[in-house]
Amino acid sequence: MSESDRRQDGGSGTQEPVPAVPGNGGAPTGPGPGAATDADELKRLRAEVARLRERLAAPPPRARGGGRPSLVAVRQVIAVVLVALAAFGAVASVVGVWGGRTTLNTDRWVATVGPLPEHPEINAAMATYLTGEVFEQLNVQQRLAQALPPKAAFLAGPTTSAVQDYVRDTIQKFMATEQFRKLWDDANRRAHAGIVAILEGRSQTVSVSGGTVTLNLLPIVNNVLVALESRLPTMFGKQLDLPALTSGQIPPGLEQRVETALGVSLPDDFAQIELYHRDGLGELQQAVLFFKRSVTLLVAGSLLLLALALLITPHRRRTLLQFGVGLALSVVVLTAVLRAVRDQLLGEVPDGLYRQGASVAMQEVFTTLRGRGDQLLWLGIALAVLAYLVGPGRLPAALRRSSVKYGRDALRTTRRVGTSGELRRWTARHLDPLRIGGAVLAALLALFFSSWTSLLVIALLLAAFELLVTLVARWGRGGDGPAGPAIAEPGTSGTGVTLAPS
């Protein structure tokens, strides 16, 4: 068989010998283990490409939480509505609880309005009101004009003004006494208890006189007249013979005794401040009853709505962010509404001294409610910011990376400073001044921030500071620190003497 026949025969012939590679010891070369590995890698890559093609050809995945896209959108809308109602209900619940605990509780109401006369604006308004009530009934200027000679009649006006200023000062001094405080608290307690009894429909003994419910200041006027008589015995031209009252309860026949002492007939509304009108009493009674019954339902309903929103929503983080924003917006809206109501009420008060006093009184009454509103506002802002920062956006991710980086740097710096033996020893030597200084600083901060929340934060910071300096000082007394004495470097002894090599 020729050479060409053997090549055409294919695999039936004998294979040609594989030439030996020089320097390989005459061993033949051929497909070894590396060829099999390359084939396996090629198969794996082809399978990976096939899987990627199948993934690209597959339909887009459904939204998180399962369900069709239209159902997910409906769930999102329902969650937004529920979380908006929950946010507004939470703010309204705070207002309701404050109203129930303050305006419908006689003890709390008296504790709230008791300190009002201590404010200069309210003190001046009340003193002016009581002085006007007394002078209007006494007609002091006409009496002075009749008592003065005809040629000195022109002095009646200036003299009346001077006497009026003196009476006002006397009333303001009386309002600073404990006796006035007792009369003021008792008068408010009796008026508030009667009003609440009427509103709740359980009043059997309280009556509404003249179509209104009033705060009767006649006992205060009685004691003011007694004080004036002791200072100006000839002012009234006779002895008044009025009792010095020690409580806000009006004794029988007091009004007739005051009329006899002043020599005038007092009007029905003398020294009385209107609180409620009969025309609106029926509607107000129904509102109070609904208010008391709905506060508990409002609190429970707000919590239930928030739980349902978190259960329904496909994006809980976004729902929490929306709840925080809703809280902040609800506080702002409700604050604007309350401010509008306050302005409307103040618009019915005569401008000037009385309006200033009424404005200060409203601010004091609503102080607690404003504090709760501020807490809800900052809670909503903090919740929204926190929910945003843990989200997948670029800015939150960058902020998280920066926070981690700077936090690690601060931790390293703190460790480096805290492990300094000199700092620990210095803290141990000055431990008592540091403790006293921390307490003094906390006391100064408490003077500027008087709310319960700020006081709690100040107390926690003070406790953390005291604990920190105590631990650092304890380490300083023990030497260089809890890690024990320093280890000498190679080639030196602990005493600083160089060790010679052996």
Side-chain angles (χ1 to χ4, degrees):
M1 180 180 295
S2 64
E3 184 68 21
S4 61
D5 292 338
R6 285 198 301 269
R7 291 178 178 176
Q8 292 177 0
D9 191 27
S12 60
T14 305
Q15 294 182 355
E16 296 181 359
V18 179
V21 179
N24 197 25
T29 61
T37 303
D38 292 341
D40 294 339
E41 182 68 16
L42 181 60
K43 290 181 180 179
R44 187 186 67 78
L45 293 176
R46 286 177 177 175
E48 182 69 21
V49 170
R51 285 195 298 269
L52 292 175
R53 288 177 178 175
E54 291 177 358
R55 186 177 301 177
L56 292 175
R62 293 177 178 177
R64 188 175 60 181
R68 291 173 293 182
S70 58
L71 181 59
V72 172
V74 172
R75 291 171 58 188
Q76 290 177 348
V77 172
I78 295 176
V80 169
V81 174
L82 291 177
V83 82
L85 293 176
F88 183 79
V91 177
S93 300
V94 171
V95 178
V97 172
W98 171 85
R101 290 171 56 88
T102 303
T103 61
L104 296 181
N105 185 289
T106 299
D107 292 335
R108 289 184 177 273
W109 176 256
V110 173
T112 300
V113 301
L116 291 183
E118 299 176 3
H119 295 270
E121 298 85 356
I122 301 176
N123 186 289
M126 287 189 60
T128 302
Y129 170 75
L130 294 176
T131 302
E133 289 289 283
V134 173
F135 267 68
E136 183 179 355
Q137 301 303 321
L138 290 178
N139 199 0
V140 176
Q141 185 170 354
Q142 182 179 356
R143 291 188 178 187
L144 285 175
Q146 294 175 356
L148 291 173
K151 292 183 178 181
F154 67 94
L155 296 176
T159 304
T160 301
S161 179
V163 174
Q164 191 169 8
D165 292 340
Y166 179 82
V167 172
R168 187 185 301 109
D169 293 340
T170 302
I171 293 176
Q172 288 182 321
K173 292 178 181 178
F174 172 71
M175 291 172 62
T177 62
E178 186 64 28
Q179 185 182 17
F180 170 82
R181 179 65 180 267
K182 176 66 175 175
L183 294 174
W184 173 255
D185 288 349
D186 288 351
N188 280 281
R189 183 179 300 276
R190 291 174 58 83
H192 188 269
I195 292 169
V196 172
I198 294 174
L199 293 178
E200 294 180 349
R202 55 180 176 81
S203 174
Q204 301 295 332
T205 60
V206 179
S207 61
V208 181
S209 176
T212 59
V213 180
T214 60
L215 175 65
N216 198 331
L217 301 179
L218 185 59
I220 296 177
V221 173
N222 175 86
N223 283 27
V224 166
L225 294 175
V226 173
L228 288 174
E229 184 183 22
S230 63
R231 297 188 180 189
L232 295 176
T234 61
M235 177 179 177
F236 303 98
K238 60 179 179 178
Q239 187 176 0
L240 298 182
D241 192 23
L242 292 175
L245 302 180
T246 58
S247 67
Q249 185 175 1
I250 302 176
L254 178 62
E255 185 174 356
Q256 288 74 17
R257 296 186 66 173
V258 173
E259 288 180 342
T260 303
L262 298 180
V264 296
S265 296
L266 299 178
D268 294 336
D269 59 348
F270 177 75
Q272 296 184 11
I273 300 176
E274 294 183 358
L275 298 179
Y276 292 100
H277 291 272
R278 180 186 290 275
D279 296 338
L281 196 57
E283 293 79 2
L284 183 61
Q285 182 177 0
Q286 296 299 324
V288 169
L289 292 177
F290 174 78
F291 173 77
K292 291 191 64 176
R293 295 170 181 171
S294 61
V295 168
T296 304
L297 296 178
L298 194 59
V299 175
S302 301
L303 297 176
L304 180 61
L305 288 174
L306 179 59
L308 288 176
L310 293 175
L311 182 63
I312 292 176
T313 180
H315 307 287
R316 290 188 175 88
R317 181 193 62 82
R318 185 181 302 174
T319 299
L320 288 176
L321 189 151
Q322 293 168 350
F323 180 70
V325 174
L327 272 181
L329 291 179
S330 298
V331 171
V332 172
V333 171
L334 199 55
T335 301
V337 172
L338 292 177
R339 186 178 291 112
V341 172
R342 184 200 64 183
D343 294 340
Q344 182 179 359
L345 293 176
L346 289 178
E348 300 178 0
V349 179
D351 194 9
L353 191 63
Y354 291 143
R355 182 173 296 182
Q356 293 177 3
S359 177
V360 174
M362 288 186 179
Q363 290 179 4
E364 289 299 316
V365 170
F366 287 98
T367 296
T368 305
L369 182 59
R370 287 200 310 272
R372 298 294 180 267
D374 293 341
Q375 292 174 0
L376 279 180
L377 177 64
W378 288 112
L379 176 62
I381 294 175
L383 184 60
V385 170
L386 182 62
Y388 175 75
L389 291 179
V390 299
R394 293 183 179 180
L395 180 60
L399 291 176
R400 289 196 297 270
R401 288 194 299 269
S402 300
S403 300
V404 172
K405 177 180 179 299
Y406 290 121
R408 289 176 177 174
D409 294 342
L411 183 59
R412 294 193 192 99
T413 304
T414 303
R415 287 178 176 176
R416 185 167 59 253
V417 174
T419 54
S420 173
E422 183 63 26
L423 175 63
R424 293 198 294 269
R425 289 189 291 271
W426 181 88
T427 304
R429 291 194 300 268
H430 301 84
L431 178 60
D432 290 338
L434 287 174
R435 287 175 172 174
I436 296 174
V440 171
L441 180 59
L444 292 177
L445 291 176
L447 295 177
F448 295 97
F449 304 96
S450 58
S451 65
W452 289 110
T453 303
S454 59
L455 292 179
L456 177 61
V457 173
I458 293 173
L460 292 177
L461 292 177
L462 177 61
F465 174 77
E466 297 289 344
L467 178 62
L468 178 62
V469 296
T470 301
L471 292 177
V472 173
R474 180 175 299 178
W475 294 341
R477 293 192 185 98
D480 290 337
I487 300 176
E489 297 180 359
T492 63
S493 66
T495 60
V497 180
T498 305
L499 300 177
S502 58

